[in-house]
Amino acid sequence: MTSPFVRRRRLAAELRALREARGMTADSLSRLIHQSRMKISKLENAHIRPDLAEVMKILDALEVTGDKWHEIVRIARDAAERGWWDSFGDAMGDRQRIYADIESGAETIREYQPGAVPGILQTPEYTWALIELAKAEGPIGYLPERLAEARLQRQRTVLCPGGPPYEVILDEVGLRRFSVPPEVMRTQLHHIINIAETEPRVTIRVFPLVTGMVETLMPRSQLILFTFPDPSDPPMAVAATVSADLFHTEPDEVARYLRRYGYVRNAALSEVSSLTLLGELADQIIDQAGPHT
């Protein structure tokens, strides 16, 4: 399916551009269609699911006709679609719900992860260990059981036959500086190796501790790059922060993140060497933990 989140962002940009081309303010448009200024703002910033009838009213108010009218209505229909993640509501966590939405329509996914293992590669035990860490920090905004269930569904969606090619670069620092129990981390590393060896569309590489001179600015946090089948849906770069994710589709911004990802990829170990290192790290974890783990 086409990602509703991606289409909501495209619809927002299209409606804003059409309104501005008519020289009309959001206030004027809201009065014409008898809606609040806030409603127009949320629609033009992709903060709400569109109502198809309201989008048609906007197009009529902006005197949009012909092929453009049909194009915008098609985008609005896609933007209003619901996916499996909607049945979870807020219980799976807002951030994970957006990722599930985007992944559902992605053509390719590339990810640099400097810390925790990406959700698509996590074992249930690893996921639950992270949940316990989050609970120790304070109140959480999701239901643990539903989050864990949704994460498994995300994995089935991305790793299913016909799913998108998925490339992950794991930072050796994050692999060595783990925060889950040693036995959980060891099992997790073997799980990653197994996925890489059995899933032909999944590529796992490790960004090593020692790389020599860094030729460009490094990604400062988790970075995910998406492309989509429809060339009219622009590539997307997502930079994660502690409390929120930043979604970029502006060509200059996406190009900047592509350069940073490209450096990490060029400096990463080969696929074979990466899997060898993951196996060695798994053995080291148990050796260092001792017989009581």
Side-chain angles (χ1 to χ4, degrees), residues 259-277:
R259 286 193 296 271
R260 295 188 181 191
Y261 183 87
Y263 166 73
V264 172
R265 190 181 191 282
N266 290 337
L269 301 176
S270 69
E271 294 176 55
V272 173
S273 296
S274 294
L275 297 187
T276 299
L277 176 59

Side-chain angles (χ1 to χ4, degrees), residues 151-223:
R151 190 148 296 176
L152 290 174
Q153 181 58 48
R154 283 179 59 204
Q155 294 172 6
R156 288 190 288 267
T157 299
V158 173
L159 301 179
C160 72
Y166 180 43
E167 177 179 81
V168 181
I169 301 175
L170 303 170
D171 199 305
E172 186 177 350
V173 173
L175 295 172
R176 292 184 178 276
R177 194 175 293 159
F178 55 91
S179 55
V180 301
E183 64 275 13
V184 172
M185 190 64 184
R186 179 179 184 272
T187 301
Q188 175 65 73
L189 292 176
H190 282 300
H191 179 68
I192 293 172
I193 294 170
N194 181 64
I195 289 177
E197 291 177 339
T198 58
E199 297 288 349
R201 291 175 294 96
V202 176
T203 302
I204 308 293
R205 299 179 66 182
V206 175
F207 184 58
L209 286 170
V210 180
T211 62
M213 178 181 173
V214 176
E215 300 171 352
T216 187
L217 292 173
M218 288 280 296
R220 296 181 180 179
S221 62
Q222 179 187 12
L223 170 62

Side-chain angles (χ1 to χ4, degrees), residues 36-287:
S36 69
R37 168 69 176 78
M38 182 65 69
K39 186 74 170 287
I40 299 298
S41 176
K42 287 182 177 179
L43 189 58
E44 290 189 357
N45 286 282
H47 291 164
I48 57 173
R49 190 187 309 275
D51 179 281
L52 194 57
E54 290 179 357
V55 171
M56 291 179 179
K57 286 182 180 179
I58 291 173
L59 295 179
D60 289 344
L62 297 176
E63 299 179 355
V64 177
T65 60
D67 291 343
K68 191 65 176 179
W69 188 95
H70 289 286
E71 178 190 354
I72 300 301
V73 170
R74 177 178 58 83
I75 295 171
R77 284 198 182 100
D78 291 340
E81 283 291 326
R82 294 181 179 273
W84 63 263
W85 51 88
D86 287 304
S87 65
F88 284 79
D90 295 334
M92 69 186 288
D94 289 341
R95 300 176 81 173
Q96 182 170 219
R97 187 168 58 182
I98 291 176
Y99 282 123
D101 186 324
I102 299 171
E103 291 160 359
S104 72
E107 183 173 49
T108 64
I109 306 173
R110 289 171 288 174
E111 179 170 1
Y112 166 65
Q113 176 54 266
V117 171
I120 300 303
L121 302 179
Q122 290 177 12
T123 64
E125 295 78 13
Y126 187 94
T127 297
W128 276 102
L130 293 185
I131 290 172
E132 292 303 317
L133 289 173
K135 289 165 64 176
E137 286 190 337
I140 55 177
Y142 53 83
L143 296 179
E145 294 79 7
R146 295 292 275 168
L147 180 141
E149 183 183 349
R151 190 148 296 176
L152 290 174
Q153 181 58 48
R154 283 179 59 204
Q155 294 172 6
R156 288 190 288 267
T157 299
V158 173
L159 301 179
C160 72
Y166 180 43
E167 177 179 81
V168 181
I169 301 175
L170 303 170
D171 199 305
E172 186 177 350
V173 173
L175 295 172
R176 292 184 178 276
R177 194 175 293 159
F178 55 91
S179 55
V180 301
E183 64 275 13
V184 172
M185 190 64 184
R186 179 179 184 272
T187 301
Q188 175 65 73
L189 292 176
H190 282 300
H191 179 68
I192 293 172
I193 294 170
N194 181 64
I195 289 177
E197 291 177 339
T198 58
E199 297 288 349
R201 291 175 294 96
V202 176
T203 302
I204 308 293
R205 299 179 66 182
V206 175
F207 184 58
L209 286 170
V210 180
T211 62
M213 178 181 173
V214 176
E215 300 171 352
T216 187
L217 292 173
M218 288 280 296
R220 296 181 180 179
S221 62
Q222 179 187 12
L223 170 62
I224 311 176
L225 301 168
F226 296 97
T227 62
F228 306 97
D230 188 337
S232 297
D233 292 326
M236 178 183 292
V238 184
T241 69
V242 173
S243 58
D245 296 323
L246 306 177
F247 300 90
H248 300 281
T249 53
E250 306 86 351
D252 290 346
E253 283 295 309
V254 172
R256 181 163 65 93
Y257 284 109
L258 276 170
R259 286 193 296 271
R260 295 188 181 191
Y261 183 87
Y263 166 73
V264 172
R265 190 181 191 282
N266 290 337
L269 301 176
S270 69
E271 294 176 55
V272 173
S273 296
S274 294
L275 297 187
T276 299
L277 176 59
L278 291 177
E280 293 172 351
L281 289 175
D283 293 338
Q284 291 173 18
I285 287 171
I286 296 304
D287 290 342

